[in-house]
Structures are given as structure tokens and as C-alpha cells.
Amino acid sequence: AEEYAAVQLAAQRINENFEILPNTRLRLLPIDTRGTIAGASEAIGFAASQNVKLIVGPRDDVSAQPIAALASLYGLPVLSYGASSAVLADQDRFPTLSRVVPLAVTEATAIASYIARFDFGRYGVTILAASDSDGIASANEFLEAAREFDFEVTSVLSIAEGSGEDGIRAVMENARNTKARSIVCLVGGKELQHMLSIAEELEI
């Protein structure tokens, strides 16, 4: 809901500024893929039948692959604001896909480089990642980057989607108990908001 609200706001701002897209007005058409390949196929077919000019989303890597592959068959451009898998960089398979986020491996390398630059690794590093496939992939990318920059990740903690504040608090308390001085949060959205709030409360 929050992500769609952000897209709505962006479209509204563009429509209000005639210099951005002259003689053009954006109209949003929300389509639910239900997080399945069948749903993605139906969504792309429906989008094409409605003469859609651009697909915004999806956020996750799992949904982005079938969406991008099917959209290319119709010549539909796809703009993802969250999918970061290196697999999606294959322009032969996904020629109409563009992204506004870096590859997960690039993000992991940047964070690891920062930790190594200031020698934070010697105080212990804990990873907090989502328990889904995207989160596991992100954690593995960071572990590989940590090896390249020669510092050790002392613990990896996972957060299940929809954990709620109590579940996130339990994970944050575990993170505090690891006594790591550097905590790498590979999550976003509401989970990250709760984590930062609880971290401040727990003085992490």
C-alpha cells in the first residue's frame, strides 16, 4: 500500500509539472500478480490489452524475473524499484527491464568496503536480513564481500516477513547480545523503520 501510494504521488507530481512530460498525462492501472508466475502472465497480458506504456515494479527479485521476461515478449518496458538480483542484468533475457537500484552484489561490496575502510570489522559484524529468498541472497552476497575485504561476520540473524514489532524486537535484542559493534541491516520498508526505532530504544 505504501509503495503504491509513493507511485501515485510521483505520478501526481509529474502530471502537475507540464515541463517533465509535455502533452502527456500519466494514468495508473494497479494490477496484482498474486506473486505467482501464472499471475504474472495474466497481469502482463492484461497490461498489453489495456495499451499500457510502462510497468512500474515489481519490487522483489522472484516476481521481477517472470514479469520482465513476459513483458519483453510484448515490448513493454519494465521499471523495477527494488529488484537487485544480478540475474536480472542479463539484457538478452530481459531487454526491456530497467532498475533504479544497484545490484545486490554492488550494494554488498559498497557496505563491506566501508566497514573495511574504517576497520569496523575487528569489533564484530552482525547481519540482519529477511528470511525470504531475497534476504538470503543479500546475506550471501555480503558474506562473500566480507571475505574479499578480509573481515569476519560473526553472526547472521533473520527476520520473517510480517514478524511485527515483537518479533523484530526479539531479533534486535539478539543482535545486541552478539556484542557486535557493526550491524548491517539488509531489510527495508516497515521492518527497517521498526528496527531503527527499537535499536535507538535499546541503545544499539
Side-chain angles (χ1 to χ4, degrees):
E2 289 183 349
E3 293 168 353
Y4 182 62
V7 174
Q8 286 181 304
L9 178 60
Q12 178 184 330
R13 295 289 174 83
I14 292 172
N15 286 336
E16 290 172 350
N17 188 337
F18 298 107
E19 294 181 358
I20 298 177
L21 291 175
N23 304 316
T24 301
R25 184 171 182 80
L26 298 180
R27 181 174 65 90
L28 299 180
L29 179 65
I31 305 174
D32 184 9
T33 66
R34 306 189 301 278
T36 66
I37 294 178
S41 179
E42 293 172 9
I44 294 298
F46 180 69
S49 72
Q50 297 299 305
N51 199 29
V52 166
K53 302 300 183 183
L54 171 68
I55 296 172
V56 178
R59 176 182 61 82
D60 63 287
D61 294 324
V62 174
S63 298
Q65 291 189 39
I67 287 289
L70 292 166
S72 68
L73 300 178
Y74 292 91
L76 282 173
V78 178
L79 179 63
S80 176
Y81 50 86
S84 59
S85 170
V87 172
L88 294 167
D90 187 340
Q91 285 295 294
D92 291 328
R93 293 179 59 193
F94 312 109
T96 63
L97 173 67
S98 298
R99 294 182 284 183
V100 294
V101 293
L103 297 179
V105 63
T106 303
E107 185 178 49
T109 300
I111 298 172
S113 174
Y114 179 84
I115 290 175
R117 170 68 177 81
F118 294 99
D119 202 21
F120 292 153
R122 66 192 175 102
Y123 299 113
V125 177
T126 288
I127 296 175
L128 298 181
S131 60
D132 59 15
S133 58
D134 290 344
I136 293 170
S138 295
N140 287 335
E141 295 285 6
F142 185 79
L143 288 169
E144 181 61 31
R147 283 189 286 270
E148 292 179 7
F149 284 93
D150 197 28
F151 66 83
E152 182 182 2
V153 173
T154 52
S155 59
V156 179
L157 303 177
S158 63
I159 299 175
E161 185 177 356
S163 292
E165 188 170 340
D166 290 341
I168 292 173
R169 179 179 296 277
V171 172
M172 294 304 294
E173 288 175 348
N174 287 338
R176 181 181 59 181
N177 293 338
T178 67
K179 302 189 184 303
R181 295 291 297 276
S182 297
I183 298 176
V184 178
C185 297
L186 302 176
V187 296
K190 290 184 177 180
E191 285 81 7
L192 180 58
Q193 294 177 31
H194 287 313
M195 287 170 63
L196 293 175
S197 176
I198 293 171
E200 183 178 6
E201 180 185 331
L202 297 177
E203 298 183 346
I204 298 177

